[in-house]
């Protein structure tokens, strides 16, 4: 297709990445000529009197700026972001801005790749709100606000679920009545897809191999946590399901649980659906087990002999090991296990404990390498280990920017 703005598009190499939450907006401006970050920031507590915007320009030695004043809604938040960027000469009206890339949590089965946002795309994302009630509405609000600010600019949705659409049916389907499942779109979708895609590719680079040759178990361990089995660059299984509640023990989410617990709490404890939802999503996981969801604090308490913190840690590790073993079986051959996200990248005791006792599977960590703190992808396994153990800092914003720019740039030259 021809594009009257091809000349402008060819010199536009910047992408603004927006991650809109229910009361926050995280953003980064990147130059895709070299992948360099030009500015990063966060608007939080939108709609409250204590709203806060933190903006950091990363060019020409700029210093972090902060403003604390009421920000009524997402429209006001994005206008404030635009003002901060303009103050650095990086405004949204710049001809060098190629597109705005949006993180969208749930794309269902319809979206398996980055997608230019149209009214039809937005309508589909809205139809998926029942299976992503905490995330998709906020994503939609951010998109509509950005469209109003720059209606002429391509807006691209990059879906958390897209990387997992390669799962075979036997991994994606639950064993419930097929007609009911299909009618209500009940299946495993998976999340953190941009992170799993980025990390699995980085692991292949670290091993000096093509991603198509490498089988990787990726462990995205943050406040939300998920595991994936990646065979030759394609996801074949993942721990999160219809929603981000299933799978690993997380900061505030229970992860895997007998579904009958829900019926029991309703019948015996008299809890409402909303109360059970809040319990499993916000009052469970590590915070439910020991009152803390910060792994650093949990480790500090363990060092002081706190048995409740120790049990929470042991449950967390037990679930993690079960998934490593399960995905080892799913893949048949594993070339690497990769730890990423806040806990995965920074908590050496978690990595050590997760691999301990799995020597027969070819897994081990070198204590010295594991203790090193670094922002670079690295191997922490000894040379003799059959399976590499890696720490790979995730970069979801860069992945979103790359996918956005690639889509827009290819369309401009069609």
């Amino acid at each position: 297709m021809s594009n009257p703005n091809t000349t402008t598009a060819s010199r536009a190499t910047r992408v603004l990445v927006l991650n809109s939450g229910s009361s926050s907006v995280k953003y980064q401006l990147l130059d895709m000529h070299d992948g360099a970050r030009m500015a990063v920031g966060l608007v939080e507590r939108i709609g409250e009197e204590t709203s806060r915007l933190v903006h950091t320009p990363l060019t020409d030695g700029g210093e972090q700026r902060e403003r604390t004043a009421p920000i009524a809604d997402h429209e006001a938040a994005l206008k404030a972001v635009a003002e901060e960027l303009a103050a650095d000469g990086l405004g949204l009206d710049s001809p060098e801005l190629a597109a705005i890339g949006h993180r969208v949590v749930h794309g269902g089965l319809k979206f398996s790749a980055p997608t230019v946002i149209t009214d039809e795309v937005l309508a589909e994302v809205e139809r998926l709100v029942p299976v992503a009630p905490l995330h998709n509405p906020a994503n939609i609000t951010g998109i509509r606000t950005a469209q109003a600010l720059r209606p002429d600019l391509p807006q691209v949705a990059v879906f958390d679920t897209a990387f997992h659409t390669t799962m075979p049916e036997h991994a994606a389907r639950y064993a419930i009545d097929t007609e009911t499942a299909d009618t209500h779109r009940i299946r495993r979708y998976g999340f953190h897809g941009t992170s799993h895609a980025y990390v699995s590719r980085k692991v292949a680079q670290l091993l000096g191999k093509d991603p198509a040759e490498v089988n990787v178990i990726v462990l995205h361990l943050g406040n939300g946590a998920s595991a994936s089995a990646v065979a030759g660059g394609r996801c074949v299984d993942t721990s999160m399901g219809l929603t981000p509640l299933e799978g690993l023990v997380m900061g505030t989410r229970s992860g895997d649980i007998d579904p009958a617990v829900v019926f029991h709490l309703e019948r015996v404890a008299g809890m409402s659906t909303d109360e059970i939802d809040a319990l499993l999503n916000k009052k469970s996981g590590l915070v439910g087990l020991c009152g803390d969801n910060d792994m650093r604090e949990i480790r500090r308490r363990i060092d002081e002999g706190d048995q409740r913190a120790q049990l929470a840690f042991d449950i967390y590790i037990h679930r993690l090991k079960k998934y490593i073993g399960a995905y080892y079986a799913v893949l048949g051959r594993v070339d690497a296990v990769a730890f990423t996200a806040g806990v995965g990248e920074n908590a050496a005791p978690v990595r050590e404990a997760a691999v301990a006792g799995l020597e027969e599977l070819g897994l081990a960590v070198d204590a010295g390498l594991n203790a090193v703190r670094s922002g670079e992808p690295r191997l922490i396994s000894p040379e003799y280990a059959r399976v590499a153990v890696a720490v790979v800092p995730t970069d979801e914003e860069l992945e979103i920017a790359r996918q956005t720019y690639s889509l827009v740039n290819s369309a401009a030259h069609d």
Side-chain angles (χ1 to χ4, degrees), residues 24 108 127 213 247 267 282 349 392:
S24 67
R127 277 194 288 272
E213 302 173 351
R267 293 167 182 158
K282 299 178 180 178
V392 180

Side-chain angles (χ1 to χ4, degrees), residues 168-237:
E169 284 293 281
H170 62 255
R173 279 194 174 271
Y174 293 110
I176 66 172
D177 172 66
T178 302
E179 185 177 348
T180 301
D182 290 346
T183 299
H184 300 286
R185 305 185 185 197
I186 299 171
R187 62 185 288 120
R188 183 180 307 284
Y189 291 101
F191 300 89
H192 296 141
T194 51
S195 177
H196 287 281
Y198 177 85
V199 171
S200 58
R201 231 180 19 252
K202 278 289 182 183
V203 169
Q205 292 177 14
L206 203 57
L207 298 179
K209 296 182 178 180
D210 187 287
E213 302 173 351
V214 178
N215 287 359
V216 188
I217 298 171
V218 178
L219 304 171
H220 178 107
L221 307 180
N223 193 48
S226 60
S228 67
V230 183
R234 294 166 61 85
C235 177
V236 295
D237 206 347

Side-chain angles (χ1 to χ4, degrees), residues 320-378:
L320 196 52
K321 280 189 176 183
K322 284 174 68 174
Y323 269 92
I324 292 173
Y327 287 170
Y328 206 119
V330 166
L331 290 168
R333 189 201 82 241
V334 175
D335 299 294
V337 173
F339 291 86
T340 192
V343 174
E345 294 169 27
N346 298 300
V350 168
R351 298 191 296 259
E352 179 183 9
V355 172
L358 302 182
E359 291 81 8
E360 289 297 317
L361 297 180
L363 288 159
V365 297
D366 179 283
L369 294 175
N370 190 36
V372 172
R373 294 182 68 88
S374 171
E376 297 298 319
R378 60 200 185 277

Side-chain angles (χ1 to χ4, degrees), residues 138-411:
N139 301 155
I140 292 166
T141 300
I143 290 167
R144 286 185 172 144
T145 303
Q147 286 178 323
L149 288 174
R150 280 299 306 269
D152 60 313
L153 201 65
Q155 312 266 339
V156 174
V158 177
F159 299 92
D160 270 17
T161 49
F163 182 65
H164 303 304
T165 57
T166 57
M167 280 189 293
E169 284 293 281
H170 62 255
R173 279 194 174 271
Y174 293 110
I176 66 172
D177 172 66
T178 302
E179 185 177 348
T180 301
D182 290 346
T183 299
H184 300 286
R185 305 185 185 197
I186 299 171
R187 62 185 288 120
R188 183 180 307 284
Y189 291 101
F191 300 89
H192 296 141
T194 51
S195 177
H196 287 281
Y198 177 85
V199 171
S200 58
R201 231 180 19 252
K202 278 289 182 183
V203 169
Q205 292 177 14
L206 203 57
L207 298 179
K209 296 182 178 180
D210 187 287
E213 302 173 351
V214 178
N215 287 359
V216 188
I217 298 171
V218 178
L219 304 171
H220 178 107
L221 307 180
N223 193 48
S226 60
S228 67
V230 183
R234 294 166 61 85
C235 177
V236 295
D237 206 347
T238 193
S239 59
M240 286 180 167
L242 174 73
T243 75
L245 179 60
E246 189 180 1
L248 302 175
V249 174
M250 305 176 222
T252 65
R253 298 178 197 143
S254 65
D256 292 341
I257 194 168
D258 181 349
V261 169
V262 175
F263 315 142
H264 181 80
L265 290 173
E266 182 183 21
R267 293 167 182 158
V268 177
M271 294 176 69
S272 69
T273 301
D274 287 345
E275 287 173 330
I276 298 169
D277 188 304
L279 171 70
L280 297 181
N281 277 290
K282 299 178 180 178
K283 300 176 184 177
S284 296
L286 292 172
V287 79
L289 289 167
C290 72
D292 272 309
N293 64 332
D294 187 322
M295 188 58 72
R296 294 165 297 187
E297 181 63 16
I298 291 170
R299 290 303 309 177
R300 184 193 66 76
R301 287 172 56 184
I302 290 171
D303 291 342
E304 293 178 353
D306 188 317
Q307 292 303 305
R308 192 175 167 201
Q310 182 67 64
L311 178 60
F313 183 81
D314 291 345
I315 293 170
Y316 182 94
I317 295 299
H318 179 71
R319 186 80 56 82
L320 196 52
K321 280 189 176 183
K322 284 174 68 174
Y323 269 92
I324 292 173
Y327 287 170
Y328 206 119
V330 166
L331 290 168
R333 189 201 82 241
V334 175
D335 299 294
V337 173
F339 291 86
T340 192
V343 174
E345 294 169 27
N346 298 300
V350 168
R351 298 191 296 259
E352 179 183 9
V355 172
L358 302 182
E359 291 81 8
E360 289 297 317
L361 297 180
L363 288 159
V365 297
D366 179 283
L369 294 175
N370 190 36
V372 172
R373 294 182 68 88
S374 171
E376 297 298 319
R378 60 200 185 277
L379 296 179
I380 60 170
S381 46
E383 289 187 10
Y384 63 79
R386 294 199 319 272
V387 179
V389 180
V391 180
V392 180
T394 193
D395 199 332
E396 293 173 274
E397 289 78 15
L398 178 59
E399 182 70 14
I400 291 169
R402 281 177 175 164
Q403 292 190 28
T404 297
Y405 184 68
S406 176
L407 177 63
V408 171
N409 201 40
S410 62

